[in-house]
Amino acid sequence: MHPHSTWIPKGDYIASNIDECTSTLSYAVSLKKAGTVSFEYFYPDNTIFFEFYVQNDQCESTDSEGRWMRTSEKDWTPHNLKLNRGNNVLYWRTTSFALVGSAVKPVLLRNIAISGVAYTSECFHCKPGTYSAKPGSAHCTPCPADSYSNKGATVCQQCEVDKYAEAGSGSCKRRPACTTSDYFYTHTPCDSKGQTQLMYKWIEPKICSEIVEGTVDNSTGGAVKLPASGQMETCPPCNPGFSVTNTSGCEPCPHGSYSNGTACAECPVGTEPVVGFEYKWWNKMPDNMRSSVYSRDCNGLVAGEYIYTTQGDLDSDYMMLSLTVPGYRLPHSVAKDDERSELSRISFVFETQCTADCTLYFMGYSERTNDMVEHWSGTTRKQSYSYLVKSNSTVSFTWGFQRTQVRQYSSDFAKMYTVQITNVVGGVASQCRHCALGSGSASECVPCPPAHYMVNGTGVCKSCPPNTFIRADQTVGEAACIHCGPNTHSNKAHSACVSDCRLDLQSTGGGEVLQYDFTPLANITSFQSSPRFTSKGLRYYHQFRVGLCGEEGREVAVCVDNVTESRKEVRGYACQSTVVPSEVRGQSVVSSQPFTIGDTLIGKRSSFTPWCIPLKYRAPTVAWRILTFDSVFVVLSSKCSEGTCDGCSFHFLWRSLYACPLCTESHYREIVSACIQGIQRTTYVWQQPLQCTGGVSLPAQTVSACVTLDFWLKVGVSTGTVAAILLISISCYFWKRTRKLEYKYSKLMMTAGDKECELPAADSCAIMEGEDAEDDLIYLTKKSFFTKIKSFSRERSSDGFDSVPLKSSSGLEMEMS
């Protein structure tokens, strides 16, 4: 246990620690007979584990179920437990999991009584600040305010006129000079003339002096006086939904009527009252509101245009303002639909001013638990805040204001200007709205059919454009039809937009259409931040649960608070909770402070991110837009380790292969093998790097018949051989014809030689019909191979003709040129 994490005495009660450490208060007692232990506790914060158990001589504890205390609603809660004879050790133990000490309200204990103990052998003197007026008293009584006592006193002594003492004091202190922070003002109820009196009162108990001189905030340098009361002012009007009575009071308008704070008027035919409560004039505390300091009532908070806090006895007191509601009911013109999350809405305008440290808490109470909805620390400018009520179990709301522990800062205050809550059972109306007319009574109002809105000023329902949904808080006018965001569509009831987990996008450069399938991501995904540590060394995580797509009936993300026995759940598309590893109550982890990040899907849009796909192929990935946060999947930003930098926009990066497009035929290629033994195989493989997932599958390997290379080689050789033989044959044929022509030519030349210069006309150089070429063939002398080469290399004559050796009929060789 941390040395500062202890239970702290606070006068007539004791308070637990408010940090994240475990603090134990123990008391050992020996009973002569069976007895009981009783005490009262105030346990308003369900971010704290609070357990009470007893151990006997054998260190046996009470049952594990009964040891966990239930949270208090509005007042001190009594608790009793039977004790066995013998030694008993009583333990009160608290462990906080809020991780922010300023936002935690401690557990308080008082009036601890034990019966069955032995008679004491001696009496103890009362401590200073208490007294005992009768002998044999079981306990000492604290001295009242402005009195003191010493040790063993039987009566308290009054302080001197210029001194004061708080209750239970052992000495008196000198009274400081009064300042403007020591009094407050309020208004009396309106009289029959519509007038109210401005009244000034000292803060009780009064500790300042009006006659002491000192440095104060007035011009004379002395103590301030209480301003004169009785100034008459005009009463503010009644709050909307109320009317002025004959006595200048305010009373609620009857059902079916409305008012702006003056007179009630019935709603016209075809309309219905917009019921709720709207408080913006504070001349009198509303009947369903109460102010207190913890469980003690306090008055003097209303001040016309606002209600504000006054100083308490102690600066550590919680100034409480509570609003009680009997329940909620949707108006007749609003169809009941599970998709509609807004059962009611509470809105308020407030302001705080703090010299040092102070905190304003806003809490919602259900029938069994109370949850802190929001808190603001330090000075806060005038602003508004709204909270959606989603369950009929929330029956009241409380604003708690706590100052610093130093008395000098008692001028710190919180102001509440307006409070408005809608759809309250038994509420009043400030206006009427048109509603669809039913088939029965002329004034009967029925909801418009799904996907229809009501035309302004009429009771006519008109269909909304396609792919729109109807606003839950407004069903009148065409503006009630909200278009679904990109790549989403409305559900059957047209009350919300949903996604079917599929998306088609144009690729970069206007190429092919890429298809995405996020169906595997429809299941709820949980992830958490890196470990974080408090100043006391407690390790914790921020856990996120996300479910981004799915049709109607889909599973939603749920975050829980399991600190106390009453589990609190929040639901939506995305939620967050704080998780602390723990062995308390046998749980491995404790989940606390859940809240919804987004509960309405606005749309999906494409974005181009280079880290999912190689730079040379930037396929569009998908960004989801839910309410006001962008979710691009599940890795927390390095700059904002908690998922958000401003508390409003959450950024996640989900590294998943399903963020890539579906595979198509363009993502694979074919490989054809060689023809082996008349068989050829075709195999399909993915293009690398792989840039898709799912989609089409790779086609199976195919086998086809083919002709091998050996066959074509044989065909080629055979064809070449045939062609060569044919070519040789043709060459031989033409060579032979050429030789015959040479013979004819030589014969003509010989004939011309015999008849000098007489060249007879030749009918033809060719062999005529019936002419035997063999008879006229001149046989040349056979020559050797070298002689033939020599004859071919012989130069031509000067007239350009070759010399041809011939033989005459006599066998003599002759040369023709």
Side-chain angles (χ1 to χ4, degrees):
M1 182 178 66
H2 195 273
H4 299 292
S5 299
T6 60
W7 290 75
I8 304 173
K10 296 286 187 178
D12 60 347
Y13 64 90
I14 185 171
S16 71
N17 64 316
I18 58 173
D19 57 24
E20 64 274 18
C21 295
T22 298
S23 178
T24 303
L25 175 67
S26 61
Y27 181 77
V29 62
S30 178
L31 301 185
K32 295 299 182 181
K33 62 178 182 178
T36 60
V37 56
S38 63
F39 59 89
E40 293 180 338
Y41 68 91
F42 187 69
Y43 177 22
D45 198 329
N46 60 4
T47 62
I48 295 180
F49 272 132
F50 177 37
E51 57 180 325
F52 169 70
Y53 61 95
V54 180
Q55 287 186 344
N56 56 21
D57 290 334
Q58 289 75 35
C59 293
E60 295 175 347
S61 302
T62 55
D63 64 286
S64 58
E65 295 296 331
R67 65 192 297 173
W68 302 103
M69 300 290 99
R70 294 182 177 272
T71 54
S72 305
E73 292 187 10
K74 300 178 183 178
D75 212 334
W76 292 87
T77 304
H79 185 75
N80 297 276
L81 184 67
K82 294 183 179 180
L83 300 178
N84 297 324
R85 181 177 178 274
N87 295 326
N88 292 269
V89 182
L90 284 63
Y91 294 95
W92 294 266
R93 185 164 66 181
T94 60
T95 304
S96 173
F97 291 98
L99 308 181
V100 182
S102 62
V104 178
K105 295 179 286 297
V107 176
L108 307 182
L109 289 177
R110 72 178 184 183
N111 296 339
I112 301 175
I114 302 174
S115 64
V117 297
Y119 293 106
T120 181
S121 58
E122 60 178 320
C123 295
F124 298 94
H125 293 290
C126 292
K127 66 178 183 178
T130 63
Y131 72 99
S132 176
K134 297 180 181 180
S137 297
H139 61 274
C140 298
T141 304
C143 291
D146 293 334
S147 65
Y148 73 100
S149 70
N150 296 317
K151 181 179 180 180
T154 58
V155 65
C156 294
Q157 304 295 324
Q158 290 293 321
C159 294
E160 299 176 6
V161 177
D162 60 343
K163 294 183 178 181
Y164 78 98
E166 297 175 349
S169 298
S171 62
C172 296
K173 302 176 183 178
R174 185 169 297 278
R175 294 182 182 273
C178 291
T179 68
T180 55
S181 300
D182 291 310
Y183 65 84
F184 64 96
Y185 65 92
T186 184
H187 293 79
T188 61
C190 294
D191 58 19
S192 58
K193 298 180 181 180
Q195 298 288 309
T196 180
Q197 284 185 329
L198 181 63
M199 306 297 293
Y200 292 93
K201 297 180 181 179
W202 291 111
I203 296 172
E204 297 295 340
K206 181 185 177 185
I207 63 173
C208 66
S209 173
E210 302 174 59
I211 60 176
V212 175
E213 295 183 358
T215 303
V216 292
D217 57 356
N218 62 345
S219 59
T220 62
V224 300
K225 303 292 184 180
L226 185 68
S229 299
Q231 178 182 347
M232 303 301 295
E233 296 181 352
T234 302
C235 284
C238 295
N239 283 307
F242 292 82
S243 61
V244 181
T245 63
N246 295 332
T247 58
S248 297
C250 297
E251 63 179 8
C253 292
H255 180 70
S257 60
Y258 71 102
S259 81
N260 59 359
T262 54
C264 298
E266 291 188 358
C267 289
V269 175
T271 65
E272 62 178 348
V274 182
V275 297
F277 289 109
E278 182 180 0
Y279 301 121
K280 59 181 182 180
W281 301 109
W282 303 94
N283 190 59
K284 176 179 176 294
M285 184 69 71
D287 294 337
N288 59 346
M289 298 187 73
R290 183 172 69 96
S291 61
S292 63
V293 180
Y294 265 145
S295 60
R296 178 173 56 84
D297 290 341
C298 63
N299 300 310
L301 296 173
V302 292
E305 295 182 350
Y306 55 83
I307 183 171
Y308 72 105
T309 58
T310 60
Q311 289 75 4
D313 294 344
L314 299 173
D315 289 315
S316 58
D317 282 341
Y318 283 99
M319 314 298 293
M320 314 287 283
L321 177 65
S322 300
L323 169 65
T324 303
V325 292
Y328 312 94
R329 181 172 56 222
L330 291 173
H332 293 290
S333 62
V334 178
K336 294 178 175 59
D337 194 324
D338 293 338
E339 292 285 348
R340 298 181 186 271
S341 59
E342 185 172 332
L343 176 63
S344 176
R345 179 191 294 264
I346 181 171
S347 305
F348 55 90
V349 179
F350 68 98
E351 176 188 10
T352 62
Q353 178 176 308
C354 302
T355 309
D357 182 28
C358 64
T359 306
L360 175 66
Y361 303 94
F362 175 56
M363 297 164 284
Y365 287 80
S366 65
E367 296 175 351
R368 298 185 58 189
T369 63
N370 62 315
D371 303 314
M372 188 188 71
V373 177
E374 188 57 89
H375 71 281
W376 299 266
S377 298
T379 300
T380 305
R381 61 179 177 81
K382 187 177 180 180
Q383 60 182 275
S384 63
Y385 179 81
S386 295
Y387 172 69
L388 296 181
V389 181
K390 301 180 181 180
S391 172
N392 247 318
S393 61
T394 305
V395 295
S396 67
F397 300 93
T398 297
W399 294 266
F401 181 70
Q402 185 184 32
R403 300 182 183 89
T404 182
Q405 305 250 347
V406 182
R407 177 81 185 191
Q408 69 186 76
Y409 301 121
S410 59
S411 60
D412 297 349
F413 66 83
K415 290 182 179 180
M416 196 70 61
Y417 291 91
T418 63
V419 176
Q420 183 178 10
I421 185 169
T422 62
N423 300 336
V424 178
V425 175
V428 295
S430 60
Q431 60 179 331
C432 298
R433 61 183 168 195
H434 286 275
C435 58
L437 299 179
S439 58
S441 173
S443 61
E444 181 184 358
C445 291
V446 297
C448 283
H452 286 70
Y453 68 93
M454 193 178 306
V455 180
N456 284 321
T458 68
V460 178
C461 295
K462 189 175 180 180
S463 176
C464 281
N467 203 33
T468 58
F469 69 96
I470 301 293
R471 294 178 54 180
D473 58 338
Q474 177 185 343
T475 58
V476 180
E478 191 172 0
C481 304
I482 307 299
H483 286 275
C484 290
N487 303 301
T488 61
H489 62 276
S490 59
N491 59 3
K492 294 180 180 179
H494 288 262
S495 58
C497 294
V498 295
S499 167
D500 60 358
C501 303
R502 298 181 182 275
L503 181 64
D504 294 339
L505 293 177
Q506 194 79 22
S507 62
T508 308
E512 64 175 323
V513 176
L514 301 178
Q515 297 179 332
Y516 294 81
D517 184 7
F518 304 116
T519 303
L521 304 180
N523 296 326
I524 303 302
T525 300
S526 298
F527 58 98
Q528 59 189 24
S529 66
S530 58
R532 307 178 66 84
F533 297 89
T534 65
S535 58
K536 301 293 179 62
L538 178 65
R539 182 180 60 172
Y540 67 95
Y541 305 87
H542 290 304
Q543 185 181 63
F544 300 88
R545 292 179 63 82
V546 179
L548 294 182
C549 65
E551 298 286 359
E552 293 181 84
R554 69 190 182 281
E555 182 182 2
V556 297
V558 179
C559 294
V560 301
D561 182 346
N562 61 1
V563 175
T564 58
E565 75 285 346
S566 57
R567 289 169 57 93
K568 172 189 174 183
E569 294 184 351
V570 296
R571 297 172 176 268
Y573 280 92
C575 60
Q576 176 188 334
S577 60
T578 301
V579 174
V580 181
S582 174
E583 296 299 330
V584 180
R585 299 179 69 174
Q587 300 173 175
S588 59
V589 294
V590 172
S591 176
S592 64
Q593 302 174 350
F595 66 92
T596 302
I597 296 177
D599 54 13
T600 301
L601 178 65
I602 293 181
K604 296 180 295 186
R605 58 180 175 83
S606 63
S607 63
F608 294 90
T609 53
W611 53 82
C612 287
I613 302 298
L615 288 174
K616 65 180 181 180
Y617 183 85
R618 293 188 179 182
T621 56
V622 175
W624 296 78
R625 193 162 179 82
I626 300 178
L627 280 182
T628 57
F629 85 92
D630 288 337
S631 174
V632 196
F633 310 140
V634 190
V635 172
L636 298 179
S637 170
S638 58
K639 295 182 180 179
C640 308
S641 58
E642 296 185 3
T644 178
C645 297
D646 57 7
C648 295
S649 297
F650 286 77
H651 301 269
F652 308 125
L653 177 66
W654 196 332
R655 299 187 184 275
S656 170
L657 59 88
Y658 299 109
C660 297
L662 295 177
C663 295
T664 62
E665 288 79 1
S666 62
H667 289 98
Y668 63 80
R669 60 189 178 89
E670 64 178 21
I671 299 177
V672 181
S673 67
C675 185
I676 301 175
Q677 297 180 354
I679 297 177
Q680 190 173 52
R681 303 177 186 274
T682 302
T683 306
Y684 299 89
V685 296
W686 294 113
Q687 301 276 5
Q688 295 299 325
L690 185 61
Q691 301 156 354
C692 63
T693 182
V696 300
S697 302
L698 280 177
Q701 187 184 64
T702 59
V703 178
S704 59
C706 63
V707 181
T708 62
L709 181 62
D710 294 343
F711 172 80
W712 290 112
L713 181 61
K714 293 177 181 180
V715 172
V717 171
S718 302
T719 304
T721 303
V722 172
I725 295 174
L726 182 60
L727 181 61
I728 294 173
S729 301
I730 294 174
S731 300
C732 293
Y733 171 76
F734 284 106
W735 176 79
K736 186 176 180 180
R737 293 293 301 271
T738 302
R739 296 291 291 176
K740 290 181 178 181
L741 290 176
E742 289 179 355
Y743 166 74
K744 287 286 187 180
Y745 179 72
S746 60
K747 186 176 180 180
L748 289 173
M749 293 300 294
M750 291 175 63
T751 305
D754 293 341
K755 300 178 180 181
E756 297 179 358
C757 299
E758 183 180 351
L759 184 63
D763 295 334
S764 175
C765 291
I767 299 175
M768 302 303 293
E769 184 178 357
E771 185 179 2
D772 188 1
E774 298 297 333
D775 296 339
D776 299 329
L777 188 62
I778 300 176
Y779 293 95
L780 299 179
T781 306
K782 293 184 179 180
K783 299 180 180 181
S784 65
F785 177 75
F786 295 101
T787 304
K788 293 179 180 179
I789 293 177
K790 182 179 179 181
S791 64
F792 283 125
S793 63
R794 190 178 301 165
E795 295 183 358
R796 293 185 177 183
S797 60
S798 59
D799 57 4
F801 293 98
D802 294 334
S803 297
V804 180
L806 299 173
K807 283 186 178 182
S808 64
S809 57
S810 59
L812 297 178
E813 185 179 25
M814 54 183 302
E815 183 175 303
M816 294 183 64
S817 61

